[in-house]
């Protein structure tokens, strides 16, 4: 996919040499992660007709693409990954297609002969055993343990493992679907959704707004629905839906708050689907239906800013989309910034300051971890020749959101908000590159103002490594109090005497994160006796506690850690405890033993990451 972008940010020459974008030339942006030729053929609409076979763990059916061969090319190239193509028809007639050899993570290009006037390409296919987007759960891997479950995770380039498509973030299409599922199960998609099961077990879907392939999503299971207000609601397994509904009751207000900030929510309904525990990530912004991990059900609504993040993607990402995975910060940095603005409105400044500070700490750690590959700490990434998963670090999120926070502080909140609302509106249902964003930023906000440019130093952020010296920091008012309680504990004040009664999850995280690296098992025991960390139902705290326990040799937490690793599938929570165990010869055997037991419970993508960590294969 070629998107031609003119960099227009250089009206008044000189000061631009010091800052702004590096080159005022015509830039061609190629998405190196799609094998399709959708730059020559418009992929207008997808009509999917599939059956979900839970026994064979296979999706079987057809994808009918409405195309416009605008460049009059003689072949349509589509992305596939481990798909078996059963047959292909062009305008109702069978054609001879060919499938290239697989190129690692990119998969195999499917070549279909077309003519200048071809309008309909129908591909009959079924999925393979190594479909990276699909997680098939046996009943015992679900919460209710009665029915199987299937869900997809298509970002970044996994849609091609369950649909033959042009799989690049810059390629949009509308879709409709007919999905047949086993009796007694409900199907949901990133589309208009049913709210209850029907007798036919056939469900119809429609997404009339154009979306990129990475937002294609499907979930099938024994799922129930409970509304929050007229346009929002919660889906989950039968046995989870009440708890999920309680935790997520704020999502109606959240959508209203987001709209006040950046303009109307354009997708109709906003629902959240809480998945079984093996879901490999925190959340995924599938349009109209955010998918999320059950690890946010902490019982006190303290982890719902994750939903604010996925909701914010309805503007940054789903409405205005990064042109390539090299521009990923345009999706995630904007969304982290926007998430914090929503959270600030709903829960106040001192609360969101804690999120900013924890995010800053993550950024520092990530930059240190990437010391050997400093280019991976630029906002504009260079993922050529690599799996786009390589760009999935805290950099696009935290360096991106801090960059936007810096612009906000420099130009003032009102001007920045006005600019952002206009940006989302002007680029709605379009794709944008980093260079085009910088050009838009200059023409609509900075207007070449040298003093603003000197304060922000755009190049240092976007095309430079590490954390620039002008990185904004949040007020540390609440964390200063946490720090003083931590000091008291380290000076032998009994843990029960510490002033912790008002603390939220974030204060606890700060308290634990800033402890000296090696606490003694006795100190761990004192903390545990006072605060029951080993048995906390809060996954963020539990995860950190288990890492500390391994480090301290605090074996009383190991049973709970075993239990945690047996059920939780979120990569962010698996890699730290396994990684900590693998650091020493003493603990590595425990890691290996646990991983051997639980690997099969994890999502294919979590397995890939952990296999490397555990040096399996
Ligand atoms: N879009 C991402 C998830 C993603 C990114 C999946 C790239 C695959 C490739 C989603 O919005 C996200 O960022 N999720 C975070 C939570 C968020 C609160 C930072 C996660 O899953 O941890
Ligand atoms: Zn995100």
């Amino acid at each position: 996919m070629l998107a031609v972008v003119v960099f227009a940010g250089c009206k008044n020459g000189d000061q631009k040499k010091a800052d702004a974008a590096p080159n005022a030339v015509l830039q061609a942006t190629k998405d190196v992660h799609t094998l399709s030729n959708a730059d020559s053929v418009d992929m207008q609409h997808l009509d999917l007709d599939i059956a979900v076979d839970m026994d064979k763990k296979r999706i079987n059916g057809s994808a009918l693409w409405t195309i416009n061969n605008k460049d009059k090319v003689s072949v349509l190239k589509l992305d596939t990954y481990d798909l078996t193509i059963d047959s292909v028809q062009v305008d109702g007639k069978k054609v001879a297609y060919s499938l290239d050899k697989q190129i690692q993570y990119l998969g195999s290009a499917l070549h279909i002969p077309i003519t200048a006037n071809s309008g309909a390409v129908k591909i009959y296919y079924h999925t393979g055993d190594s479909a990276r987007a699909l997680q098939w759960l046996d009943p015992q891997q679900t919460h209710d343990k009665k029915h199987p479950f299937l869900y997809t995770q298509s970002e970044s380039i996994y849609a091609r493992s369950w649909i033959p498509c042009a799989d690049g973030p810059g390629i949009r299409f509308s879709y409709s679907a007919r999905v047949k599922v086993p009796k007694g199960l409900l199907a949901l998609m990133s589309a208009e959704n049913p709210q209850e099961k029907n007798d036919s077990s056939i469900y119809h879907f429609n997404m009339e707004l154009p979306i990129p392939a990475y937002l294609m999503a499907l979930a099938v299971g024994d799922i129930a629905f409970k509304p929050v207000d007229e346009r929002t609601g919660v889906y989950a397994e039968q046995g989870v839906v009440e708890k999920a509904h309680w935790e997520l009751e704020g999502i109606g207000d959240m959508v209203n708050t987001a709209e006040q900030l950046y303009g109307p929510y354009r997708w109709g309904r906003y629902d959240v689907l809480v998945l079984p525990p093996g879901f490999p990530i925190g959340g995924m912004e599938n349009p109209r239906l955010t998918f999320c991990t059950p690890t946010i059900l902490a019982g006190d609504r303290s982890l719902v800013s994750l939903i604010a993040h996925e909701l914010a993607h309805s503007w940054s990402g789903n409405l205005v989309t990064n042109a390539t995975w090299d521009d990923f910060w345009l999706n995630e940095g904007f969304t982290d910034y926007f998430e914090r603005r929503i959270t600030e409105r709903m829960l106040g400044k001192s609360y969101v300051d804690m999120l900013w500070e924890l995010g800053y700490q993550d950024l520092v750690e990530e930059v240190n971890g990437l010391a050997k590959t400093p280019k991976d700490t630029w906002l504009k990434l260079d993922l050529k020749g690599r799996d786009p998963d390589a760009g999935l670090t805290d950099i696009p999120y935290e360096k991106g959101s801090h960059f936007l926070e810096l612009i906000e502080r420099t130009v003032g909140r009102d001007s920045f908000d006005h600019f952002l609302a206009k940006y989302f509106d002007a680029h709605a249902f379009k794709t944008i590159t980093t260079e085009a964003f910088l050009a838009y930023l200059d023409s609509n906000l900075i207007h070449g103002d040298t003093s603003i440019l000197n304060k922000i130093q755009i190049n240092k952020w976007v095309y430079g490594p590490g954390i620039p010296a002008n990185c904004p920091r949040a007020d540390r008012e609440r964390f200063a109090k946490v720090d003083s309680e931590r000091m008291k504990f380290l000076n032998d004040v009994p843990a029960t005497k510490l002033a912790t009664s008002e603390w939220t999850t974030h204060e606890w995280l700060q308290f634990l994160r800033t402890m000296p690296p090696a606490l003694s098992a006795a100190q761990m025991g004192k903390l545990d006796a006072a605060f029951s960390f080993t048995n906390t139902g809060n996954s963020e705290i539990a995860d950190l506690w288990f890492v500390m326990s391994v480090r301290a040799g605090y074996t009383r937490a190991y049973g709970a850690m075993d239990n945690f690793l047996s059920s939780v599938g979120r990569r962010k929570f698996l890699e730290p405890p396994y990684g900590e165990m693998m650091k020493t010869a003493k603990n590595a055997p425990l890691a290996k033993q646990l991983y051997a037991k639980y690997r099969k419970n994890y999502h294919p993508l979590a397995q890939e990451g952990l296999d490397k960590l555990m040096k399996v294969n």
Side-chain angles (χ1 to χ4, degrees):
M1 179 69 173
L2 264 158
V4 175
V5 170
V6 186
F7 185 71
C10 289
K11 280 166 290 173
N12 29 353
D14 286 337
Q15 90 261 351
K16 293 291 187 331
K17 275 188 210 127
D19 204 37
N23 47 357
V25 295
L26 199 71
Q27 279 200 351
T29 306
K30 178 148 173 60
D31 180 350
V32 294
H33 295 113
T34 175
L35 302 170
S36 77
N37 62 343
D39 44 344
S40 293
V41 183
D42 280 340
M43 307 299 292
Q44 295 171 329
H45 184 82
L46 165 66
D47 192 8
L48 204 57
D49 185 353
I50 54 177
V52 174
D53 186 332
M54 291 282 191
D55 296 324
K56 291 204 182 108
K57 304 196 166 159
R58 176 188 285 183
I59 291 176
N60 191 10
S62 64
L64 170 59
W65 285 99
T66 306
I67 62 164
N68 173 27
N69 185 358
K70 62 179 185 216
D71 287 355
K72 316 279 179 227
V73 291
S74 58
V75 57
L76 170 65
K77 286 191 254 172
L78 294 180
D79 292 297
T80 73
Y81 184 97
D82 193 30
L83 293 183
T84 301
I85 307 301
D86 297 314
S87 66
V88 179
Q89 295 176 359
V90 175
D91 294 324
K93 284 198 204 81
K94 228 172 160 171
V95 297
Y97 60 89
S98 68
L99 201 57
D100 283 349
K101 269 232 225 70
Q102 175 165 334
I103 310 175
Q104 297 171 42
Y105 50 86
L106 293 177
S108 320
L110 171 63
H111 296 243
I112 301 169
I114 54 173
T115 64
N117 301 318
S118 296
V121 174
K122 190 167 187 176
I123 302 138
Y124 291 86
Y125 71 99
H126 59 270
T127 57
D129 292 339
S130 31
R132 292 170 94 198
L134 304 180
Q135 189 167 20
W136 301 93
L137 303 181
D138 296 327
Q140 68 275 16
Q141 290 171 289
T142 66
H143 178 273
D144 293 355
K145 314 216 181 296
K146 288 191 204 128
H147 298 274
F149 203 106
L150 163 71
Y151 58 80
T152 64
Q153 168 54 37
S154 299
E155 192 177 11
S156 309
I157 55 165
Y158 311 125
R160 64 191 70 176
S161 75
W162 67 287
I163 304 169
C165 61
D167 194 2
I171 305 155
R172 305 179 91 90
F173 53 89
S174 55
Y175 80 88
S176 43
R178 175 183 183 274
V179 181
K180 185 162 180 13
V181 301
K183 279 251 159 324
L185 302 186
L186 180 71
L188 300 171
M189 292 191 81
S190 48
E192 230 161 73
N193 274 306
Q195 295 185 344
E196 56 189 39
K197 293 178 215 167
N198 65 34
D199 292 333
S200 71
S201 296
I202 295 172
Y203 297 91
H204 293 270
F205 301 90
N206 204 11
M207 170 48 88
E208 66 287 353
L209 302 168
I211 60 166
Y214 79 87
L215 296 176
M216 291 298 301
L218 170 68
V220 179
D222 184 16
I223 299 167
F225 175 74
K226 192 163 177 186
V228 168
D229 63 15
E230 315 77 63
R231 70 168 160 180
T232 63
V234 178
Y235 291 91
E237 284 185 66
Q238 304 279 352
V240 181
V241 76
E242 285 300 330
K243 185 176 182 208
H245 183 268
W246 183 87
E247 200 93 26
L248 299 176
E249 224 166 16
I251 61 174
D253 284 344
M254 217 180 243
V255 183
N256 299 336
T257 306
E259 285 189 313
Q260 286 161 17
L261 282 164
Y262 302 124
Y265 177 76
R266 304 210 196 195
W267 302 87
R269 291 195 60 86
Y270 180 73
D271 295 312
V272 175
L273 167 63
V274 178
L275 287 158
F279 191 54
I281 59 173
M284 179 64 211
E285 65 272 24
N286 297 315
R288 289 192 186 145
L289 184 65
T290 284
F291 281 20
C292 86
T293 165
T295 61
I296 64 163
L297 307 180
D300 60 2
R301 299 180 177 154
S302 64
L303 299 178
V304 296
S305 62
L306 183 136
I307 302 296
H309 178 97
E310 305 314 332
L311 167 65
H313 273 305
S314 307
W315 287 260
S316 44
N318 300 3
L319 198 59
V320 183
T321 309
N322 52 208
T324 73
W325 298 116
D326 288 346
D327 306 297
F328 189 47
W329 77 278
L330 294 178
N331 272 18
E332 298 300 343
F334 274 68
T335 299
D336 255 9
Y337 171 82
F338 194 169
E339 163 205 328
R340 289 172 189 164
R341 294 295 306 278
I342 295 172
T343 308
E344 181 177 331
R345 280 217 175 189
M346 295 184 76
L347 298 170
K349 175 156 184 323
S350 75
Y351 186 92
V352 85
D353 277 343
M354 297 193 291
L355 299 184
W356 278 110
E357 175 60 20
L358 291 169
Y360 180 82
Q361 294 169 8
D362 292 337
L363 177 58
V364 171
E365 201 179 311
E366 192 76 271
V367 166
N368 291 337
L370 293 169
K372 289 202 185 108
T373 51
K375 264 199 91 178
D376 288 338
T377 69
W378 295 22
L379 282 180
K380 174 85 182 188
L381 297 171
D382 181 5
L383 296 168
K384 195 164 193 286
R386 291 192 284 170
D387 188 326
D389 258 14
L392 198 49
T393 71
D394 281 326
I395 302 299
Y397 290 84
E398 293 299 343
K399 189 172 175 182
S401 57
H402 280 83
F403 176 51
L404 297 176
E405 171 72 6
L406 171 66
I407 302 176
E408 183 214 296
R409 289 193 192 180
T410 310
V411 302
R413 183 170 271 195
D414 286 350
S415 311
F416 193 53
D417 282 355
H418 179 76
F419 164 79
L420 282 181
K422 200 165 131 192
Y423 166 72
F424 290 132
D425 199 48
H427 299 86
F429 301 106
K430 291 192 188 126
T431 287
I432 187 150
T433 60
T434 297
E435 290 69 28
F437 167 71
L438 294 179
Y440 188 82
L441 178 71
D442 190 68
S443 349
N444 292 277
L445 187 66
I446 300 181
H447 306 293
D449 183 321
T450 329
S451 88
I452 294 178
L453 286 168
N454 288 337
K455 280 187 195 140
I456 302 177
Q457 301 281 321
I458 294 173
N459 270 352
K460 289 214 166 90
W461 284 85
V462 180
Y463 305 102
I467 307 173
N470 59 356
C471 184
R473 289 294 293 273
D475 289 341
R476 299 187 73 272
E477 190 194 322
R478 284 169 74 165
F479 279 177
K481 291 192 189 137
V482 173
D483 294 345
S484 85
E485 297 308 301
R486 186 195 66 246
M487 286 318 293
K488 283 188 204 160
F489 172 74
L490 293 172
N491 291 320
D492 289 332
V493 173
T496 45
K497 295 264 153 61
L498 303 179
T500 63
S501 61
E502 306 285 303
W503 285 6
T504 67
T505 301
H506 314 294
E507 275 123 340
W508 286 114
L509 290 176
Q510 170 73 6
F511 181 70
L512 293 177
R513 277 186 182 193
T514 50
M515 285 289 174
L519 285 188
S520 67
Q523 285 171 308
M524 293 290 288
K526 284 183 193 160
L527 289 173
D528 212 8
F531 308 120
S532 305
F533 289 128
T534 295
N535 298 314
T536 175
N538 185 306
S539 52
E540 293 275 354
I541 294 171
D543 197 60
L544 181 51
W545 180 249
F546 296 142
V547 170
M548 293 172 70
S549 298
V550 171
R551 212 179 276 153
Y554 181 62
T555 51
R556 278 180 46 203
Y558 286 16
M561 178 170 72
D562 184 319
N563 194 30
F564 184 81
L565 295 174
S566 77
S567 59
V568 169
R570 193 171 166 190
R571 283 174 79 171
K572 170 181 152 179
F573 290 153
L574 294 176
E575 286 170 15
Y578 278 116
E580 191 61 40
M581 284 184 266
M582 289 301 286
K583 276 188 194 158
T584 63
K586 184 169 147 240
N587 293 320
L590 176 60
K592 297 221 158 158
Q593 179 206 327
L594 292 171
Y595 191 54
K597 252 198 301 183
Y598 302 134
R599 183 179 185 276
K600 62 175 187 316
N601 291 359
Y602 304 145
H603 188 279
L605 294 171
Q607 290 178 357
E608 274 178 37
L610 286 166
D611 283 353
K612 273 189 213 134
L613 188 78
M614 308 293 299
K615 304 178 185 74
V616 175
N617 297 330

